Amino acid sequence: MEFASTFTFIITRLNEALSSAIVIIAFSLFVYMFTYNLRSSIGRAFAVLLACMCFAYAGDVAIYKVTNIEDALPWLKFQWIGIAFIPAAYLHFADVLLRATNAISPRRRFTVFLAYFFGFLILLLAIQTDYLVRDPFYSPGVTQFRSGPFFWIFTCYFYTTLLWGAYKVYRARARCLTSGARKRMTYLAVSFVAPALGVYPYMLIANA
């Protein structure tokens, strides 16, 4: 029993340290991009993606500091600002990369707009209803909502969108004319899929 408690404590502290590091790095990059690359469409899309990560992981950090569900609830809802919009932000970023290679598509841009609109609906469902998430519970290190009846729809949307965005990044990489540009595109693809996947609230599946 003592070993299990110690192990949980260590894992909780490691998760807290990792979330804090991600928030610091993401926010620092967001400020840099907002300050020096605001005129760049890639910079703006990158900044949106970073902002979503900041919302999600800052909520994690704050929840580690609370001691009851009443204090945790506002932060649980705060996280959903990032969770709800990160699929749209990833699509946006992938679309901008494609446009940088002269692959222009009004239909694709309209799809990005729809994704942001859908993200807004997801956010409203998360913070105003019990359809997406419900019954929040408090436990030191594991404070979370339980999944609602529409959560599986969100899950399908989340992963479908990320896969579609990854395919767009792959297309953008294939359109690059030099090996250096393809290498940079590969770094971007790998760098942004991992954080996007990390934002997904996996604990809701365990508490379905």
Side-chain angles (χ1 to χ4, degrees):
M1 189 69 176
E2 183 178 349
F3 172 79
S5 177
T6 302
F7 181 76
T8 301
F9 176 81
I10 292 173
I11 292 298
T12 299
R13 289 293 174 264
L14 287 174
N15 284 338
E16 182 179 0
L18 180 61
S19 296
S20 299
I22 291 173
V23 170
I24 292 170
I25 294 171
F27 184 74
S28 299
L29 287 172
F30 171 80
V31 172
Y32 177 84
M33 298 301 293
F34 191 82
T35 303
Y36 296 104
N37 293 276
L38 193 58
R39 295 182 179 179
S40 165
S41 58
I42 294 178
R44 291 193 298 270
F46 184 25
V48 174
L49 190 58
L50 290 170
C52 290
M53 291 174 56
C54 286
F55 279 114
Y57 284 102
D60 265 343
V61 173
I63 288 169
Y64 282 118
K65 305 300 182 182
V66 302
T67 56
N68 56 72
I69 191 59
E70 288 77 17
D71 292 338
L73 185 57
W75 292 108
L76 289 173
K77 293 182 178 181
F78 177 84
Q79 283 186 301
W80 273 90
I81 301 174
I83 297 170
F85 284 107
I86 201 160
Y90 191 69
L91 273 186
H92 181 189
F93 184 73
D95 175 62
V96 168
L97 291 180
L98 265 176
R99 283 192 279 128
T101 65
N102 291 320
I104 310 299
S105 171
R107 182 184 301 178
R108 197 174 61 237
R109 296 195 69 180
F110 181 68
T111 302
V112 172
F113 170 79
L114 285 180
Y116 276 114
F117 178 73
F118 194 52
F120 178 71
L121 294 180
I122 290 171
L123 179 60
L124 289 181
L125 286 175
I127 66 177
Q128 297 291 341
T129 76
D130 292 332
Y131 292 113
L132 189 61
V133 291
R134 61 186 178 182
D135 302 331
F137 66 92
Y138 170 79
S139 177
V142 188
T143 301
Q144 190 54 267
F145 284 112
R146 290 180 173 85
S147 59
F150 290 175
F151 184 72
W152 67 272
I153 299 176
F154 167 74
T155 298
C156 292
Y157 162 73
F158 187 94
Y159 283 102
T160 299
T161 303
L162 291 190
L163 287 173
W164 192 14
Y167 172 69
K168 289 182 178 182
V169 175
Y170 171 79
R171 283 184 57 201
R173 180 186 181 279
R175 291 177 59 85
C176 292
L177 300 178
T178 65
S179 59
R182 285 192 294 272
K183 185 180 295 186
R184 287 192 294 272
M185 198 68 72
T186 301
Y187 293 153
L188 286 172
V190 173
S191 299
F192 290 106
V193 168
L197 291 174
V199 167
Y200 179 82
Y202 296 97
M203 287 301 299
L204 269 72
I205 298 177
N207 292 284

